[in-house]
Amino acid sequence: MLGLRTVGRVAAEIRRDVAAVHQRDPAARGVSSLEVLALWPGVHALLAHRVAHALRGAGVPVLPGALAAVSRAVTGVEIHPAAEIGRGLFIDHGSGVVVGETAAIGEDVTLYQGVTLGGTGFATGKRHPTVGDNVTIGSGANLLGPIEVGHGAKVGANSVVVTDVPPNSTVVGNPGHVVRVDGVRPEGPDADWVHLPDPVADALRGLAGRIDALERAVAELAEGRLDEARASTEQSRSAEVRPLSPRRGRNPAGG
């Protein structure tokens, strides 16, 4: 049953959540903790979830689900009462965020609006993502299935991720591809979502370069310029083309 220790734990988690808003939301600079607690919908959603999760752990029927439903209607954030959420989660804006039943979120994670931590199958068991500590997930990103997102990773806006994400890496695209930013794998909530690399565009540019060189070689062969054609052919062979391997996630039925 609920006790003073559980109430104290929930209160400590909420204090950490409010502190996360001050640290990571520029709009909260100079705003009191009381005002953040009263006006930030992401904090409201977390407060409701902390209480609903504690009630579910205590075996209270109906009330945890009802509390989650009211929170979804008020904040636009849907978090299943069974989801495991660590301290210091910051949900920016909040609207459209969905966290599934078997999802697990570590400490100091940042979620922007429209993020989905969802499942891909109908089986019971673990079927939602596990997100490590200090992870940042951009707006509209979809993380699907029982995948693992490593410590310090970043997921670009509108990415669709169905495979594990290595620690301290950045994932972009649909399906998500692991990339680096300027050769460095940064960590922290200050991701530059505008200048993220695009591996698909890089692969297409490489392919276009090879096609251009081959077309020149064919034209030169047609005109009888054999030496120039050979040079163009060698140039096409040296052009870099990045392979894009198929992305296959874990069993969508969960486990």
Side-chain angles (χ1 to χ4, degrees):
M1 295 297 292
L2 291 174
L4 292 178
R5 180 176 298 180
T6 301
V7 173
R9 176 178 57 80
V10 171
E13 290 170 344
I14 292 299
R15 283 196 297 270
R16 179 79 171 267
D17 296 336
V18 172
V21 174
H22 281 126
Q23 293 167 2
R24 286 174 253 162
D25 189 354
R29 305 288 162 79
V31 177
S32 68
S33 296
L34 183 60
E35 187 173 348
V36 168
L37 190 61
L39 300 179
W40 260 248
V43 175
H44 298 162
L46 279 174
L47 173 59
H49 172 73
R50 304 290 189 196
V51 176
H53 187 72
L55 291 171
R56 179 184 173 90
V60 177
V62 182
L63 189 56
L67 188 57
V70 171
S71 174
R72 179 184 61 207
V74 173
T75 67
V77 178
E78 180 174 350
I79 307 177
H80 194 282
E84 299 282 347
I85 295 181
R87 297 175 298 175
L89 174 63
F90 171 46
I91 303 176
D92 196 9
H93 299 293
S95 180
V97 170
V98 176
V99 180
E101 177 186 9
T102 63
I105 300 176
E107 297 189 357
D108 299 316
V109 171
T110 301
L111 304 180
Y112 288 89
Q113 66 272 18
V115 168
T116 297
L117 304 182
T120 56
F122 299 102
T124 58
K126 178 64 173 172
R127 61 189 187 282
H128 296 95
T130 297
V131 178
D133 298 340
N134 203 24
V135 170
T136 302
I137 304 178
S139 58
N142 293 280
L143 284 68
L144 305 176
I147 62 175
E148 295 185 3
V149 181
H151 171 94
K154 298 181 186 297
V155 179
N158 293 316
S159 297
V160 178
V161 184
V162 294
T163 58
D164 291 347
V165 178
N168 301 309
S169 63
T170 300
V171 174
V172 298
N174 178 10
H177 293 275
V178 176
V179 297
R180 293 188 180 190
V181 180
D182 296 330
V184 179
R185 294 183 173 181
E187 181 176 326
D190 55 345
D192 181 1
W193 303 118
V194 177
H195 300 101
L196 289 176
D198 187 342
V200 176
D202 292 341
L204 291 176
R205 278 193 293 269
L207 182 60
R210 292 192 67 171
I211 292 174
D212 180 65
L214 288 171
E215 287 178 341
R216 289 200 308 270
V218 171
E220 289 157 357
L221 281 172
E223 296 174 5
R225 293 180 292 171
L226 184 58
D227 291 340
E228 295 178 9
R230 287 174 177 170
S232 297
T233 303
E234 290 299 323
Q235 180 182 350
S236 73
R237 290 173 179 170
S238 63
E240 180 183 6
V241 177
R242 297 189 178 186
L244 294 178
S245 58
R247 309 296 293 172
R248 294 187 176 89
R250 299 187 183 185
N251 183 357

